[in-house]
Amino acid sequence: MLQQVNGHGSGSAAHSGESLREDLQELLGGEVPPQQLNDLTKVNPVTLETVLRCLQARYMADTFYTNAGCTLVAMNPFKPVPQLYSPELMREYHAASQPQTLKPHIFTVGEQTYRNVKSLIEPVNQSVVVSGESGAGKTWTSRCLMKFYAVVAASPTSWESHKVAERIEQRILNSNPVMEAFGNACTLRNSNSSRFGKFIQLQLNGAQQMTGAAVQTYLLEKTRVACQAPSERNFHIFYQIYKGAHAEERVRWRLPEGAAFSWLPHPERTLEEDCFEVTREAMLHLGIDAPTQNNIFQVRGKATPLTCGGGDGQPPS
Ligand SMILES: Nc1ncnc2c1ncn2[C@@H]1O[C@H](COP(=O)(O)OP(=O)(O)OP(=O)(O)O)[C@@H](O)[C@H]1O
């Protein structure tokens, strides 16, 4: 999100949306209103100020995607915008004869790469690089892309193959809550910050239907288990177990209700990511059955009290 451009605040105190647009129109001297400039390469003159101001005007007009040549700039709305990610919109981009002529969107990128695979006699692997600072919206964007492919790359003809495809899509989407439970944490910048990098590979068959996915993770911030920065939290999974374990599991995992553990700072913060049931359900869909889950959680659950000097919540002596 843009905070400041050449000393002008982005809020209403410094500029109302209208005067910002007028200013920018004057600065650009163009005919197209800045919020309608879909491609930053068309901003004239291209300077840091004009580009940032153009993005700011678009942000204020709730237009969160802008092209910059062949790159897509995605701004984080920091609010739910459900109509921007509806299945209907996915289908619209998928069905468009020239998706690049529609408004810039992550679905254009999705559709373009999908068509690149589809149109070639010898299909070539396609890569989408999602980059940005912490909290920029990379995880969100990757999730949107996966949902998009789950919708467009699944139109098999028979009922049976439809069911198979649906199961694969569901498994692919279910990998997100599991990876986020074990690899994400609440930081100062992002309440659901990925503390690892990932390379997600979606696999298509000859008919361009999704047949599977593989995820490689790297650079997990393991030190967070034992040491968290002030006002930050440990990985979500610990809080999920701590808050969501049943009475009998608590006894087994030595997690007395209400105990405070020094390696579980800020358990009082309630995040939607704290939901243990969602992780358990997603693991089941991924084929991790209840006894295996139990073994995993047992190790995770026990790790916390043991490292804190016992299940009594006292700091280590
Ligand atoms: N397109 C969007 N629409 C609505 N909210 C969004 C969108 N993109 C991001 N957000 C919000 O911003 C938060 C941070 O986004 P996200 O977790 O994707 O950032 P990130 O770049 O992956 O950060 P990190 O590198 O710390 O993992 C999300 O939890 C969500 O609340």
Side-chain angles (χ1 to χ4, degrees):
M1 182 176 163
L2 300 174
Q3 294 289 353
Q4 210 165 31
V5 178
N6 274 4
H8 299 296
S10 61
S12 56
H15 262 302
S16 73
E18 202 42 52
S19 70
L20 169 77
R21 279 193 282 275
E22 280 166 13
D23 267 14
L24 185 54
Q25 188 103 39
E26 200 179 296
L27 185 75
L28 298 172
E31 316 236 301
V32 187
Q35 69 277 19
Q36 285 174 25
L37 264 174
N38 283 339
D39 193 333
L40 292 174
T41 58
K42 306 240 163 62
V43 173
N44 188 13
V46 184
T47 65
L48 187 60
E49 183 181 358
T50 53
V51 166
L52 289 180
R53 281 184 161 220
C54 182
L55 287 173
Q56 192 178 21
R58 289 173 69 79
Y59 192 91
M60 290 172 97
D62 275 359
T63 307
F64 302 107
Y65 292 104
T66 310
N67 293 325
C70 58
T71 302
L72 180 76
V73 178
M75 289 183 281
N76 185 342
F78 281 109
K79 64 178 179 188
V81 199
Q83 72 281 8
L84 202 55
Y85 304 103
S86 65
E88 291 73 37
L89 199 66
M90 291 183 194
R91 287 191 201 100
E92 189 182 326
Y93 277 78
H94 183 49
S97 55
Q98 291 185 306
Q100 65 277 19
T101 57
L102 300 177
K103 282 191 192 161
H105 200 292
I106 186 61
F107 297 159
T108 318
V109 177
E111 183 57 26
Q112 204 60 57
T113 46
Y114 187 58
R115 284 187 195 189
N116 286 350
V117 172
K118 220 172 164 175
S119 61
L120 300 171
I121 300 164
E122 247 337 289
V124 176
N125 288 332
Q126 302 288 309
S127 301
V128 180
V129 178
V130 185
S131 71
E133 62 182 341
S134 177
K138 302 181 292 295
T139 308
W140 183 286
T141 302
S142 315
R143 254 189 258 145
C144 284
L145 270 177
M146 287 165 83
K147 283 187 189 155
F148 178 79
Y149 290 124
V151 168
V152 304
S155 27
T157 39
S158 78
W159 170 248
E160 204 179 307
S161 49
H162 178 75
K163 280 277 141 212
V164 171
E166 217 171 52
R167 225 177 29 241
I168 291 168
E169 289 150 39
Q170 211 43 54
R171 284 182 141 202
I172 290 172
L173 297 180
N174 273 318
S175 66
N176 287 325
V178 176
M179 284 199 302
E180 290 180 22
F182 287 86
N184 285 22
C186 176
T187 66
L188 284 175
R189 302 188 65 146
N190 183 357
S191 60
N192 185 29
S193 184
S194 314
R195 309 317 300 162
F196 64 106
K198 55 181 176 253
F199 174 69
I200 306 172
Q201 196 179 40
L202 299 180
Q203 295 144 354
L204 306 179
N205 62 13
Q208 291 84 43
Q209 290 153 5
M210 205 133 67
T211 53
V215 182
Q216 275 175 41
T217 59
Y218 52 93
L219 290 176
L220 175 67
E221 189 195 39
K222 293 180 196 146
T223 52
R224 181 171 291 269
V225 173
C227 180
Q228 311 80 31
S231 303
E232 295 202 349
R233 298 208 319 178
N234 212 321
F235 290 102
H236 294 324
I237 187 65
F238 292 117
Y239 299 88
Q240 293 184 0
I241 295 175
Y242 176 72
K243 295 180 182 187
H246 304 310
E248 178 263 323
E249 290 167 338
R250 283 186 181 284
V251 174
R252 248 188 303 136
W253 300 342
R254 291 196 279 150
L255 282 173
E257 186 116 32
F261 296 107
S262 56
W263 283 8
L264 275 194
H266 311 294
E268 73 290 350
R269 284 199 65 180
T270 307
L271 303 180
E272 65 179 274
E273 288 80 13
D274 285 348
C275 192
F276 197 24
E277 273 318 305
V278 172
T279 305
R280 286 179 140 162
E281 193 67 30
M283 287 172 93
L284 263 187
H285 283 291
L286 287 180
I288 306 171
D289 60 15
T292 314
Q293 283 189 24
N294 202 42
N295 288 341
I296 296 170
F297 297 138
Q298 188 148 332
V299 172
R300 290 269 154 177
K302 278 188 175 165
T304 311
L306 280 176
T307 50
C308 291
D312 53 3
Q314 295 303 308
S317 51

